[in-house]
Amino acid sequence: MPGGQGSGRLGRLTVAGIHDALTGLGEELAHRLDLTDTELAAAPRLIVSMDSAHSTLRQLTRYWETFRGKDDPRTSPAVTALEAALWSGRAARVHVILDGTPTTSLLGAAPHELFGTVVLARVSATTWQRLAPLTAPAPKPSKHRGRGHVIQHGEVHETQAIWMTDADVVTWLTDPNDPAN
């Protein structure tokens, strides 16, 4: 990500660093949306992952309120950039994975309007209804490790996740073409 604490790894993962990283993501997204199809095809795919999305967005909102000037936008540029990535990121080879769903007050739309694909595993019926309201009732939980459900276009598909250690994930993300991965 260009600029400030958002460059490269976020180090201590401060709210300021996350804010800078998301603002940089917004700039990168805008740049990518202006590329030709050939230029975009050569651009690396970006995957943005945010843990505890609701809490993180709430902290970003509070952070922005602490120093926002009267002429600055009311909504944090970091939150605006995340919204843009959720709505148009796929067109620019930018993909967002949120752990937890932010409330509608933080992103301004219902979860089923923001996310084309929802992946759920081991959730209560109440959580299922909140995150996948357009589908049938929650399926019975599986006793198989790594089993979950993918909800896409209102249809539920049972799936099996690959179990990887943190080190395996880092290795796979940094060198996905390595045959040892």
Side-chain angles (χ1 to χ4, degrees), residues 99-101 118-133 135-142 147-151 156:
D99 174 19
T101 300
V118 176
V119 180
L120 299 173
R122 300 181 64 188
V123 297
S124 68
T126 304
T127 300
W128 182 279
Q129 187 57 40
R130 192 179 83 235
L131 299 178
T135 64
K140 293 184 180 187
S142 173
R147 194 66 53 94
H149 295 88
V150 175
I151 300 101
V156 179

Short mmCIF file of all heavy atoms in Angstrom, two decimals, residues 99-101 118-133 135-142 147-151 156:
data_model
loop_
_atom_site.label_atom_id
_atom_site.label_comp_id
_atom_site.label_asym_id
_atom_site.label_seq_id
_atom_site.Cartn_x
_atom_site.Cartn_y
_atom_site.Cartn_z
N ASP A 99 -13.74 -11.23 8.42
CA ASP A 99 -14.07 -12.16 9.50
C ASP A 99 -15.09 -11.44 10.36
O ASP A 99 -14.76 -10.49 11.06
CB ASP A 99 -12.81 -12.49 10.30
CG ASP A 99 -13.13 -13.35 11.52
OD1 ASP A 99 -14.21 -13.96 11.56
OD2 ASP A 99 -12.29 -13.39 12.43
N GLY A 100 -16.31 -11.87 10.27
CA GLY A 100 -17.38 -11.19 10.97
C GLY A 100 -18.00 -10.18 10.02
O GLY A 100 -17.36 -9.69 9.11
N THR A 101 -19.26 -9.90 10.22
CA THR A 101 -19.96 -8.98 9.34
C THR A 101 -20.17 -7.66 10.04
O THR A 101 -20.70 -7.61 11.14
CB THR A 101 -21.32 -9.56 8.93
OG1 THR A 101 -21.09 -10.79 8.25
CG2 THR A 101 -22.06 -8.62 8.00
N VAL A 118 -20.94 -15.75 0.85
CA VAL A 118 -20.78 -15.79 2.30
C VAL A 118 -20.36 -17.21 2.66
O VAL A 118 -20.92 -18.18 2.16
CB VAL A 118 -22.11 -15.44 3.03
CG1 VAL A 118 -21.96 -15.59 4.54
CG2 VAL A 118 -22.55 -14.03 2.67
N VAL A 119 -19.32 -17.32 3.50
CA VAL A 119 -18.85 -18.63 3.95
C VAL A 119 -19.09 -18.70 5.45
O VAL A 119 -18.61 -17.85 6.20
CB VAL A 119 -17.35 -18.83 3.64
CG1 VAL A 119 -16.88 -20.19 4.13
CG2 VAL A 119 -17.07 -18.64 2.16
N LEU A 120 -19.83 -19.70 5.88
CA LEU A 120 -20.16 -19.86 7.29
C LEU A 120 -19.81 -21.27 7.75
O LEU A 120 -20.03 -22.23 7.02
CB LEU A 120 -21.66 -19.62 7.53
CG LEU A 120 -22.19 -18.24 7.17
CD1 LEU A 120 -23.70 -18.21 7.29
CD2 LEU A 120 -21.56 -17.19 8.06
N ALA A 121 -19.29 -21.36 8.96
CA ALA A 121 -18.99 -22.66 9.55
C ALA A 121 -19.26 -22.57 11.05
O ALA A 121 -18.88 -21.60 11.69
CB ALA A 121 -17.54 -23.06 9.29
N ARG A 122 -19.92 -23.56 11.57
CA ARG A 122 -20.20 -23.67 13.00
C ARG A 122 -20.80 -22.39 13.58
O ARG A 122 -20.27 -21.80 14.50
CB ARG A 122 -18.92 -24.05 13.74
CG ARG A 122 -18.35 -25.37 13.25
CD ARG A 122 -17.12 -25.75 13.98
NE ARG A 122 -17.47 -25.96 15.38
CZ ARG A 122 -16.59 -26.17 16.33
NH1 ARG A 122 -15.32 -26.19 16.05
NH2 ARG A 122 -16.97 -26.34 17.57
N VAL A 123 -21.90 -21.93 13.01
CA VAL A 123 -22.58 -20.74 13.51
C VAL A 123 -23.95 -21.13 14.06
O VAL A 123 -24.53 -22.13 13.65
CB VAL A 123 -22.75 -19.66 12.41
CG1 VAL A 123 -21.40 -19.17 11.92
CG2 VAL A 123 -23.59 -20.15 11.25
N SER A 124 -24.44 -20.32 14.97
CA SER A 124 -25.76 -20.57 15.53
C SER A 124 -26.84 -20.23 14.51
O SER A 124 -26.59 -19.54 13.50
CB SER A 124 -25.96 -19.70 16.78
OG SER A 124 -26.04 -18.34 16.40
N ALA A 125 -28.06 -20.69 14.77
CA ALA A 125 -29.19 -20.40 13.87
C ALA A 125 -29.43 -18.89 13.79
O ALA A 125 -29.76 -18.36 12.72
CB ALA A 125 -30.44 -21.13 14.35
N THR A 126 -29.24 -18.19 14.90
CA THR A 126 -29.43 -16.73 14.91
C THR A 126 -28.40 -16.04 14.02
O THR A 126 -28.74 -15.16 13.23
CB THR A 126 -29.32 -16.20 16.35
OG1 THR A 126 -30.27 -16.88 17.16
CG2 THR A 126 -29.55 -14.71 16.41
N THR A 127 -27.14 -16.45 14.13
CA THR A 127 -26.09 -15.88 13.30
C THR A 127 -26.34 -16.21 11.83
O THR A 127 -26.19 -15.36 10.96
CB THR A 127 -24.71 -16.39 13.74
OG1 THR A 127 -24.50 -16.02 15.10
CG2 THR A 127 -23.59 -15.82 12.88
N TRP A 128 -26.75 -17.44 11.55
CA TRP A 128 -27.07 -17.83 10.18
C TRP A 128 -28.15 -16.91 9.61
O TRP A 128 -28.02 -16.40 8.50
CB TRP A 128 -27.53 -19.28 10.12
CG TRP A 128 -27.82 -19.74 8.73
CD1 TRP A 128 -28.95 -19.51 8.01
CD2 TRP A 128 -26.95 -20.47 7.88
NE1 TRP A 128 -28.85 -20.06 6.76
CE2 TRP A 128 -27.62 -20.65 6.65
CE3 TRP A 128 -25.67 -20.99 8.03
CZ2 TRP A 128 -27.06 -21.35 5.59
CZ3 TRP A 128 -25.12 -21.68 6.97
CH2 TRP A 128 -25.80 -21.84 5.77
N GLN A 129 -29.21 -16.70 10.36
CA GLN A 129 -30.32 -15.87 9.88
C GLN A 129 -29.86 -14.43 9.63
O GLN A 129 -30.31 -13.79 8.69
CB GLN A 129 -31.48 -15.89 10.88
CG GLN A 129 -32.72 -15.20 10.38
CD GLN A 129 -33.23 -15.79 9.05
OE1 GLN A 129 -33.21 -16.99 8.86
NE2 GLN A 129 -33.65 -14.94 8.15
N ARG A 130 -28.95 -13.92 10.44
CA ARG A 130 -28.46 -12.56 10.27
C ARG A 130 -27.55 -12.43 9.05
O ARG A 130 -27.60 -11.45 8.31
CB ARG A 130 -27.71 -12.10 11.52
CG ARG A 130 -27.44 -10.60 11.53
CD ARG A 130 -26.73 -10.12 12.77
NE ARG A 130 -25.31 -10.38 12.57
CZ ARG A 130 -24.53 -11.08 13.38
NH1 ARG A 130 -24.98 -11.58 14.47
NH2 ARG A 130 -23.26 -11.27 13.11
N LEU A 131 -26.70 -13.44 8.82
CA LEU A 131 -25.71 -13.35 7.75
C LEU A 131 -26.18 -13.95 6.42
O LEU A 131 -25.63 -13.61 5.37
CB LEU A 131 -24.41 -14.04 8.18
CG LEU A 131 -23.74 -13.44 9.42
CD1 LEU A 131 -22.50 -14.22 9.77
CD2 LEU A 131 -23.40 -11.98 9.19
N ALA A 132 -27.14 -14.83 6.47
CA ALA A 132 -27.65 -15.45 5.25
C ALA A 132 -29.18 -15.43 5.26
O ALA A 132 -29.83 -16.47 5.19
CB ALA A 132 -27.12 -16.87 5.13
N PRO A 133 -29.77 -14.23 5.36
CA PRO A 133 -31.22 -14.14 5.55
C PRO A 133 -32.05 -14.60 4.36
O PRO A 133 -33.23 -14.91 4.53
CB PRO A 133 -31.44 -12.65 5.81
CG PRO A 133 -30.31 -11.97 5.13
CD PRO A 133 -29.15 -12.92 5.27
N THR A 135 -31.63 -17.32 2.62
CA THR A 135 -31.57 -18.77 2.42
C THR A 135 -32.51 -19.46 3.39
O THR A 135 -33.10 -18.85 4.26
CB THR A 135 -30.14 -19.29 2.65
OG1 THR A 135 -29.78 -19.05 4.01
CG2 THR A 135 -29.15 -18.61 1.74
N ALA A 136 -32.61 -20.75 3.22
CA ALA A 136 -33.43 -21.58 4.10
C ALA A 136 -32.85 -21.55 5.52
O ALA A 136 -31.76 -21.02 5.73
CB ALA A 136 -33.46 -23.00 3.56
N PRO A 137 -33.53 -22.17 6.46
CA PRO A 137 -32.97 -22.22 7.83
C PRO A 137 -31.58 -22.84 7.83
O PRO A 137 -31.21 -23.57 6.92
CB PRO A 137 -33.97 -23.11 8.59
CG PRO A 137 -35.22 -23.07 7.79
CD PRO A 137 -34.82 -22.85 6.35
N ALA A 138 -30.85 -22.56 8.89
CA ALA A 138 -29.48 -23.05 9.02
C ALA A 138 -29.45 -24.57 8.96
O ALA A 138 -30.26 -25.24 9.60
CB ALA A 138 -28.88 -22.58 10.34
N PRO A 139 -28.50 -25.14 8.20
CA PRO A 139 -28.36 -26.60 8.19
C PRO A 139 -27.80 -27.09 9.52
O PRO A 139 -27.21 -26.32 10.27
CB PRO A 139 -27.39 -26.86 7.05
CG PRO A 139 -26.76 -25.56 6.73
CD PRO A 139 -27.59 -24.47 7.30
N LYS A 140 -28.00 -28.35 9.78
CA LYS A 140 -27.46 -28.92 11.01
C LYS A 140 -25.94 -28.90 10.94
O LYS A 140 -25.35 -29.14 9.88
CB LYS A 140 -27.95 -30.35 11.20
CG LYS A 140 -29.43 -30.41 11.46
CD LYS A 140 -29.88 -31.81 11.72
CE LYS A 140 -31.38 -31.76 11.97
NZ LYS A 140 -31.91 -33.01 12.38
N PRO A 141 -25.28 -28.60 12.08
CA PRO A 141 -23.81 -28.55 12.06
C PRO A 141 -23.21 -29.94 11.81
O PRO A 141 -23.75 -30.95 12.22
CB PRO A 141 -23.45 -28.03 13.45
CG PRO A 141 -24.67 -28.20 14.29
CD PRO A 141 -25.84 -28.28 13.37
N SER A 142 -22.07 -29.93 11.12
CA SER A 142 -21.37 -31.16 10.83
C SER A 142 -20.34 -31.44 11.92
O SER A 142 -19.79 -30.53 12.51
CB SER A 142 -20.66 -31.02 9.48
OG SER A 142 -19.85 -32.15 9.24
N ARG A 147 -15.59 -28.49 7.84
CA ARG A 147 -16.79 -28.48 7.02
C ARG A 147 -17.53 -27.17 7.23
O ARG A 147 -17.65 -26.68 8.35
CB ARG A 147 -17.68 -29.66 7.43
CG ARG A 147 -18.80 -30.04 6.51
CD ARG A 147 -18.39 -30.59 5.16
NE ARG A 147 -17.47 -31.69 5.13
CZ ARG A 147 -17.80 -32.97 5.07
NH1 ARG A 147 -19.05 -33.33 5.05
NH2 ARG A 147 -16.89 -33.90 5.01
N GLY A 148 -18.00 -26.59 6.19
CA GLY A 148 -18.72 -25.32 6.27
C GLY A 148 -19.71 -25.21 5.13
O GLY A 148 -19.96 -26.18 4.41
N HIS A 149 -20.26 -24.02 4.98
CA HIS A 149 -21.26 -23.78 3.93
C HIS A 149 -20.91 -22.51 3.18
O HIS A 149 -20.54 -21.51 3.78
CB HIS A 149 -22.65 -23.67 4.55
CG HIS A 149 -23.11 -24.95 5.16
ND1 HIS A 149 -22.83 -25.27 6.47
CD2 HIS A 149 -23.76 -26.00 4.64
CE1 HIS A 149 -23.33 -26.48 6.73
NE2 HIS A 149 -23.90 -26.93 5.64
N VAL A 150 -21.06 -22.57 1.88
CA VAL A 150 -20.87 -21.42 1.02
C VAL A 150 -22.26 -21.04 0.51
O VAL A 150 -22.98 -21.87 0.00
CB VAL A 150 -19.94 -21.75 -0.17
CG1 VAL A 150 -19.86 -20.58 -1.13
CG2 VAL A 150 -18.56 -22.13 0.34
N ILE A 151 -22.61 -19.77 0.71
CA ILE A 151 -23.90 -19.27 0.25
C ILE A 151 -23.64 -18.31 -0.90
O ILE A 151 -22.91 -17.33 -0.75
CB ILE A 151 -24.67 -18.53 1.38
CG1 ILE A 151 -24.93 -19.49 2.55
CG2 ILE A 151 -25.99 -18.01 0.85
CD1 ILE A 151 -24.01 -19.30 3.67
N VAL A 156 -27.30 -22.70 -0.87
CA VAL A 156 -26.34 -23.16 0.13
C VAL A 156 -25.62 -24.40 -0.40
O VAL A 156 -26.26 -25.33 -0.88
CB VAL A 156 -27.06 -23.50 1.45
CG1 VAL A 156 -26.07 -24.01 2.49
CG2 VAL A 156 -27.82 -22.30 1.97
#
